[in-house]
Amino acid sequence: MKTAKQLRSEFVDFFKGKGHEFVASSPIVPRDDDTLLFANAGMNQFKDVFLGLAAAQYPRVANSQKCLRVSGKHNDLEEVGKDTYHHTFFEMLGNWSFDDYFKAEAIEWAWELLTEVWGIDPDRLWATVFAGDEADGLPKDKEAAELWLKVTPLSAERVLACGKKDNFWEMGDTGPCGPCSEVHIDLGPDRCDMKHIPTHQCRVNAGCARYIELWNLVFIQFNRQSGGVLTPLKAKYVDTGAGLERIVAVMQNKASNYDTDLFMPIIDATAELTGYEYTSQLGNKTDNAFRVIADHVRALVFAITDGAAPSNEGRGYVIRRILRRASRFGRELAMHEPFIYKLVPVVVDFLGDAFGEIRERADYVSRVIESEEASFGRTLDRGIEIFNTAAKRALKSKDKIIGGEDAFQLYDTYGFPLDLTELMAQERRLKVDREKFAELMEEQRQRARAASARDSLSIMDRVSVEVLPETEDLHKYHADRCEAVVVGVIDDGGFNSEGRIEAGTQVGIVLDKTCFYAEAGGQVGDCGIIRTDTAEFVVENTTKIANCIVHQGKVAEGTFDVGQAVQAIVSRDRDSIKKNHTATHLLQWALQQVLGDSVIQQGSFVGPDYLRFDFTYHKAPAAEQLKKAENLVKEKIAADLPVSWTVMPIDQAKQLGAMALFGEKYGDQVRVVAVGAKDKDSINEAFSREFCGGTHVDRLGSIGGFKIVKEESISAGVRRITALTGSALTDYLEQARDVVDELSAVLKVQSESLVERVGQLIEDNKKLSKQLKAAARKSGSDAMAEARQLLGNCEKIGETSIITHQFSAATVEQAREAVDMLKKKAKSAVIVFGFDDNGKATLLAGVTDDLIAKGLKAGEIVREIAPIVDGGGGGRPQMAQAGGKNPAKIGDALGRAAEFIKEKLGG
């Protein structure tokens, strides 16, 4: 039996033998195509070639493309797990011709590979061709139909004409498209999954699992424009796609794609983690969970590797949905703790040879997934409780619909994507009020926009971009003052090209030219003044709307008239901003030297007081690594190397290795800042080259110094460094010296002995801590002994032990240990403890799994009794905790706990 790895290689080698060049898969996160969230077909990376916007590097190519179909027209997310063949992530084997060969060769080679190389029985194969479409004015693809009869042994009865839905391929609402010809395979009558439908007839494209598509041969001839009109392309192209997962299932004689070696390693590892067995059955909740998890972890590994990360927007939200969906299905396998991240090495093990990038970033991917799992896990159980309550209400209603308010609460408070709520609702044969949910989502967006609106945004809301003049702002790179003319003002009424600005007025002034830098690329907008002999305008921020620079601020004295000549003067903060911006470039270079190429910029802030740099890295850098990076920066500053910049075509900049910020949009011409090069002719000598439109020092020596003052995590796999330069660093060092002097005085030692003295104090503290812990252990053993005696004397309902007790002395940790001990010994028990913890009431509840299944949850118990001690609390169904201000009422709370438990258990 051939492995998936062998079949992938045989496909590529076959087409290499037909003169095709192998090209690597493009990233699953498109870099230069805003119309796609994720690569969803092999042709995505060749889109510009099909449109005639770029020349093909080779006339014939072949590859295995990473694809993700989870949004828009191509969205298979909801089907995953329910059948044997739907997936979010999959590999698309493909061969392409760029105005070279066309239909005859594509059909002939597909047949040759399937039947002669892979040995698939020709009598099991069928072909389909495009039947034509009246609305688009397209006739039947007779050429393809005749070729199937000419170059293969297929009979006319097995070459079927099908409609646009099945045999006209389109990447999206717009873009390259054309008729296609598909190869289908008959897997046998026993594979039909629609026999229960009396009217069903097994045939190609009838919807059952007996006939499945193996290969799609697309003949790209048209471009679908935004109005829906088809226009012929300048040249003809071939784009074929064969899903590797389906090919492997056929070749390995498996009834399900999930039973192949592309999924079984993950399923086996999941079974080992969970203790559950996979039986490859459809309609089985447990087996569905195995399939969903296996599919979703593959999608997560590839998407996160290629730059996507869980968030609440765009691609990030899709990834979050996939991850949380997998996490919820983990509950079907009794997984209440993070576990998906443990499957990452399994995926890397069998797919890392074909896609080396997932091996390089495996640690980072694991860390991102683990963090997201842990975050969602903290709210998932409580969210399920909220859902169950909403579902009970819906079941009692006539329309059987879960309210949009409930769905929104699950999304907003507990992180449940709408499709996850809908999935859980479907399992109970309920629906969700999507319309109300959408209404509440829009209200939230409106509130968020209003809350986060900044002056620049409010200005944009008040002005039409079309009426704004273009500002010439090249002076920002070489001058901090310039002569200009006021050409307009933006106020509450919008943009005005005439009029007077009175003293005290808050407006935005537009000049014909400026030396002010508008906020962009992480660098803050410049501050300063605009003045005449009789008036002064204080610029508080500078922003950009389209190609217009807006100086936002207030008239401090005098008046300004549109058309008046003025002098624009940038604040002295400009020098500090320059130092920090250049230092940010140095820091990125240094981090890559120390931590490796996995360091990728995720964002930055460059202001006058400090700089901040966000970057990908799978763990907290060691102190020694940060020190080494800091020293590398200081060495470059001490060398006083030159800094230059030049504008060049983007392709040339990429060839030079200039770094671009991931996700940033760039034009055809880009500005490249080169650190270590004296001018554009010596740019190759630079050790740092970055796309950047910001302001920088001319020589590194002027930065003066560099100090990392903070390193922290801001999200899974993303770190943040805050650093200082220039005068801010001087102030920081002076303050640090003051602290050292004060400590020296307090501890009565010289500054050089401070470390030793503090170390001694820490050791003394450790000794005292050990003594306290020893005393606590003695107290804990007393609490445990007290707890052991409770089991034999407790009240029972059937085989269930009900234990309530107030400890004379205990800590939370000791009480938790006692709960765990009693749960293990009793098998079926509910335990509620209370004790006085330094003048405050503490309540702790524990419930065994059999009682949770009956509807008794620890969180509900503590929420019921916490108000009695003037407190509150909550927790998971297995264990929950509450605190209160009134320890005198602990006995009353325990009494109510016993009553509540009996009510729930019917005792």
Side-chain angles (χ1 to χ4, degrees):
M1 184 175 70
K2 292 182 178 180
T3 65
K5 184 176 181 180
Q6 289 173 315
L7 292 168
R8 185 190 298 110
S9 296
E10 287 178 356
F11 179 91
V12 172
D13 291 343
F14 175 83
F15 281 102
K16 280 184 176 179
K18 302 295 184 183
H20 291 63
E21 184 74 22
F22 171 76
V23 295
S25 169
S26 65
I28 209 167
V29 177
R31 296 290 189 260
D32 303 310
D33 190 345
D34 295 332
T35 66
L36 281 176
L37 280 180
F38 300 100
N40 60 12
M43 61 80 64
N44 292 158
Q45 66 172 305
F46 307 116
K47 180 179 175 182
D48 285 350
V49 177
F50 296 139
L51 289 172
L53 302 176
Q57 191 173 359
Y58 309 101
R60 305 176 179 185
V61 299
N63 81 350
S64 182
Q65 172 65 43
K66 303 175 289 187
C67 297
L68 192 62
R69 291 187 177 176
V70 286
S71 59
K73 184 176 180 180
H74 302 290
N75 185 354
D76 294 334
L77 180 63
E78 300 304 321
E79 302 305 316
V80 171
K82 297 177 183 178
D83 57 29
T84 63
Y85 53 87
H86 273 104
H87 308 293
T88 53
F89 170 83
F90 62 96
E91 290 183 57
M92 185 67 83
L93 302 172
N95 58 289
W96 290 267
S97 165
F98 304 115
D99 206 23
D100 184 22
Y101 63 83
F102 202 45
K103 297 180 183 179
E105 294 88 343
I107 292 171
E108 181 179 359
W109 291 339
W111 186 265
E112 180 183 348
L113 178 58
L114 290 173
T115 61
E116 296 179 26
V117 177
W118 285 340
I120 296 175
D121 183 359
D123 292 336
R124 299 171 64 194
L125 300 179
W126 294 65
T128 63
V129 298
F130 179 49
D133 186 79
E134 186 176 341
D136 281 332
L138 297 176
K140 175 183 176 180
D141 190 354
K142 292 182 180 179
E143 180 186 3
E146 292 171 358
L147 283 167
W148 277 110
L149 302 179
K150 179 180 178 181
V151 302
T152 80
L154 281 177
S155 63
E157 293 75 20
R158 298 229 307 278
V159 179
L160 310 176
C162 299
K164 181 178 177 180
K165 176 178 177 291
D166 295 307
N167 278 77
F168 193 88
W169 192 92
E170 300 188 69
M171 187 180 68
D173 294 333
T174 61
C177 56
C180 62
S181 194
E182 297 178 340
V183 183
H184 293 253
I185 186 168
D186 181 356
L187 299 174
D190 59 320
R191 294 291 291 278
C192 177
D193 55 357
M194 300 178 70
K195 294 177 181 177
H196 60 288
I197 301 176
T199 58
H200 173 71
Q201 292 183 347
C202 288
R203 63 179 185 272
V204 172
N205 288 334
C208 74
R210 174 177 174 177
Y211 292 91
I212 65 167
E213 173 198 332
L214 274 188
W215 205 337
N216 190 5
L217 314 179
V218 181
F219 309 121
I220 298 179
Q221 303 169 241
F222 306 104
N223 180 40
R224 175 83 66 182
Q225 297 180 330
S226 57
V229 177
L230 292 176
T231 56
L233 293 171
K234 296 178 181 178
K236 295 179 179 179
Y237 307 101
V238 171
D239 163 26
T240 86
L244 177 64
E245 290 74 12
R246 292 188 181 187
I247 293 289
V248 173
V250 169
M251 294 299 295
Q252 294 182 357
N253 196 29
K254 300 294 185 182
S256 166
N257 294 359
Y258 291 95
D259 294 342
T260 69
D261 60 349
L262 285 171
F263 293 92
M264 283 309 298
I266 307 172
I267 290 173
D268 289 341
T270 305
E272 187 175 345
L273 282 172
T274 64
Y276 281 72
E277 181 182 359
Y278 178 66
T279 61
S280 194
Q281 299 298 309
L282 296 179
N284 177 309
K285 274 191 173 184
T286 301
D287 283 353
N288 284 2
F290 272 105
R291 287 187 286 270
V292 169
I293 292 165
D295 171 271
H296 287 11
V297 72
R298 293 186 354 141
L300 292 168
V301 167
F302 280 91
I304 295 172
T305 292
D306 282 352
S311 72
N312 286 329
E313 298 291 337
R315 294 184 181 111
Y317 184 58
V318 174
I319 298 307
R320 175 161 283 169
R321 286 169 56 204
I322 293 173
L323 204 159
R324 293 188 169 185
R325 196 169 186 269
S327 182
R328 186 263 167 183
F329 272 96
R331 291 301 196 269
E332 300 288 352
L333 306 179
M335 296 304 290
H336 291 273
E337 300 296 331
F339 74 98
I340 301 168
Y341 77 97
K342 296 178 182 178
L343 299 173
V344 173
V346 182
V347 178
V348 171
D349 186 53
F350 69 88
L351 289 174
D353 289 342
F355 303 99
E357 62 272 19
I358 66 171
R359 195 183 302 281
E360 294 172 6
R361 304 203 75 191
D363 289 342
Y364 168 71
V365 172
S366 294
R367 191 65 59 90
V368 170
I369 292 176
E370 182 182 12
S371 176
E372 182 71 10
E373 280 190 274
S375 174
F376 187 45
R378 286 190 286 270
T379 61
L380 179 55
D381 287 325
R382 178 59 181 150
I384 290 174
E385 289 181 26
I386 298 296
F387 172 83
N388 288 339
T389 301
K392 287 177 183 176
R393 285 198 300 270
L395 286 167
K396 293 177 182 177
S397 67
K398 290 182 179 180
D399 52 15
K400 309 298 182 189
I401 294 177
I402 290 176
E405 296 87 350
D406 292 316
F408 182 75
Q409 181 190 11
L410 286 167
Y411 166 81
D412 192 43
T413 306
Y414 299 101
F416 279 45
L418 178 60
D419 54 4
L420 177 56
T421 301
E422 288 183 317
L423 172 69
M424 295 167 67
Q426 288 168 11
E427 293 174 352
R428 302 193 184 199
R429 298 183 180 179
L430 298 170
K431 295 181 179 179
V432 177
D433 186 348
R434 292 181 65 97
E435 187 174 331
K436 183 62 177 179
F437 176 86
E439 179 185 323
L440 293 169
M441 279 293 295
E442 182 56 31
E443 288 178 6
Q444 185 192 60
R445 291 190 188 102
Q446 294 288 355
R447 289 193 299 271
R449 280 194 284 266
S452 63
R454 299 173 58 182
D455 290 341
S456 61
L457 292 177
S458 62
I459 285 176
M460 291 180 71
D461 290 339
R462 296 197 297 263
V463 67
S464 172
V465 173
E466 287 77 11
V467 304
L468 293 176
E470 183 173 336
T471 310
E472 191 275 289
D473 67 341
L474 287 178
H475 300 280
K476 65 190 177 187
Y477 292 127
H478 54 75
D480 57 11
R481 62 180 61 206
C482 69
E483 304 298 324
V485 174
V486 177
V487 296
V489 179
I490 299 176
D491 57 20
D492 290 337
F495 178 75
N496 302 295
S497 58
E498 56 185 25
R500 169 167 290 186
I501 317 167
E502 302 291 344
T505 308
Q506 193 88 27
V507 294
I509 287 182
V510 179
L511 306 175
D512 64 334
K513 57 178 173 291
T514 185
C515 53
F516 280 68
Y517 179 87
E519 179 180 351
Q523 181 175 326
V524 299
D526 280 333
C527 299
I529 59 172
I530 297 172
R531 70 185 182 191
T532 67
D533 292 340
T534 59
E536 184 173 290
F537 179 86
V538 177
V539 180
E540 298 166 350
N541 191 23
T542 306
T543 57
K544 188 173 185 178
I545 306 175
N547 293 315
C548 178
I549 307 300
V550 182
H551 307 80
Q552 297 173 242
K554 187 175 183 180
V555 180
E557 59 178 296
T559 60
F560 287 86
D561 292 314
V562 175
Q564 186 175 16
V566 297
Q567 186 178 40
I569 305 170
V570 178
S571 163
R572 293 179 63 182
D573 283 345
R574 161 72 70 82
D575 289 337
S576 298
I577 294 171
K578 285 182 176 181
K579 293 173 183 179
N580 282 335
H581 203 154
T582 306
T584 304
H585 286 220
L586 293 178
L587 177 58
Q588 176 165 220
W589 166 80
L591 288 170
Q592 290 177 339
Q593 300 302 304
V594 176
L595 303 178
D597 292 337
S598 63
V599 170
I600 299 172
Q601 182 178 351
Q602 297 296 293
S604 64
F605 172 84
V606 178
D609 301 320
Y610 64 94
L611 66 92
R612 199 172 63 210
F613 182 72
D614 302 338
F615 60 99
T616 57
Y617 198 60
H618 62 278
K619 62 181 180 181
E624 295 80 7
Q625 292 174 312
L626 291 175
K627 192 65 180 176
K628 186 174 182 180
E630 182 178 282
N631 287 337
L632 285 174
V633 173
K634 291 196 289 189
E635 287 172 9
K636 293 298 184 183
I637 292 172
D640 194 26
L641 297 172
V643 179
S644 62
W645 60 270
T646 186
V647 176
M648 63 177 64
I650 189 169
D651 290 337
Q652 182 184 349
K654 289 179 179 178
Q655 289 174 2
L656 286 169
M659 288 187 291
L661 178 62
F662 176 75
E664 189 76 14
K665 297 178 183 178
Y666 298 97
D668 294 333
Q669 297 286 316
V670 294
R671 182 173 184 262
V672 176
V673 173
V675 183
K678 62 183 179 180
D679 53 39
K680 63 181 181 180
D681 295 327
S682 58
I683 193 170
N684 285 324
E685 299 174 9
F687 64 88
S688 168
R689 292 180 289 270
E690 291 190 37
F691 291 20
C692 183
T695 58
H696 291 268
V697 299
D698 295 324
R699 300 195 70 87
L700 296 183
S702 63
I703 296 174
F706 178 83
K707 177 69 178 175
I708 294 174
V709 295
K710 189 176 185 181
E711 193 282 330
E712 59 189 319
S713 170
I714 59 169
S715 66
V718 181
R719 313 296 303 180
R720 170 173 288 172
I721 284 177
T722 304
L724 303 175
T725 68
S727 59
L729 175 57
T730 301
D731 293 342
Y732 171 83
L733 295 176
E734 287 178 355
Q735 291 171 12
R737 182 67 223 184
D738 291 342
V739 172
V740 169
D741 290 343
E742 188 174 346
L743 280 173
S744 296
V746 170
L747 297 177
K748 296 182 173 57
V749 294
Q750 295 297 317
S751 59
E752 57 268 21
S753 302
L754 265 180
V755 173
E756 181 182 350
R757 180 70 181 110
V758 171
Q760 184 59 52
L761 289 173
I762 291 172
E763 285 301 316
D764 292 345
N765 188 57
K766 285 180 180 178
K767 290 177 182 179
L768 288 172
S769 179
K770 286 180 180 179
Q771 293 171 7
L772 291 171
K773 285 181 181 178
R777 278 195 297 272
K778 182 179 184 304
S779 171
S781 63
D782 292 343
M784 194 64 78
E786 213 173 316
R788 288 192 185 95
Q789 296 176 2
L790 299 172
L791 192 57
N793 303 316
C794 70
E795 189 174 355
K796 287 197 172 188
I797 297 178
E799 296 299 317
T800 298
S801 299
I802 301 174
I803 302 169
T804 60
H805 180 69
Q806 181 171 355
F807 286 118
S808 55
T811 65
V812 173
E813 291 77 12
Q814 292 161 2
R816 283 180 176 273
E817 290 175 6
V819 169
D820 289 338
M821 179 270 293
L822 289 172
K823 284 168 66 175
K824 289 178 182 177
K825 284 184 173 292
K827 305 301 182 186
S828 177
V830 52
I831 305 111
V832 185
F833 288 146
F835 53 92
D836 186 327
D837 187 5
N838 293 321
K840 293 183 179 180
T842 297
L843 300 169
L844 200 69
V847 180
T848 52
D849 290 342
D850 63 310
L851 300 181
I852 294 172
K854 294 179 180 179
L856 182 62
K857 298 179 175 65
E860 292 181 356
I861 296 172
V862 298
R863 281 192 292 274
E864 174 70 22
I865 64 175
I868 297 173
V869 294
D870 300 334
R876 294 165 54 190
Q878 295 86 354
M879 181 84 76
Q881 181 179 332
K885 302 175 183 177
N886 192 351
K889 293 285 188 177
I890 290 175
D892 295 341
L894 294 175
R896 175 55 191 151
E899 293 173 1
F900 180 78
I901 292 164
K902 291 173 187 176
E903 291 168 6
K904 297 290 284 187
L905 296 179

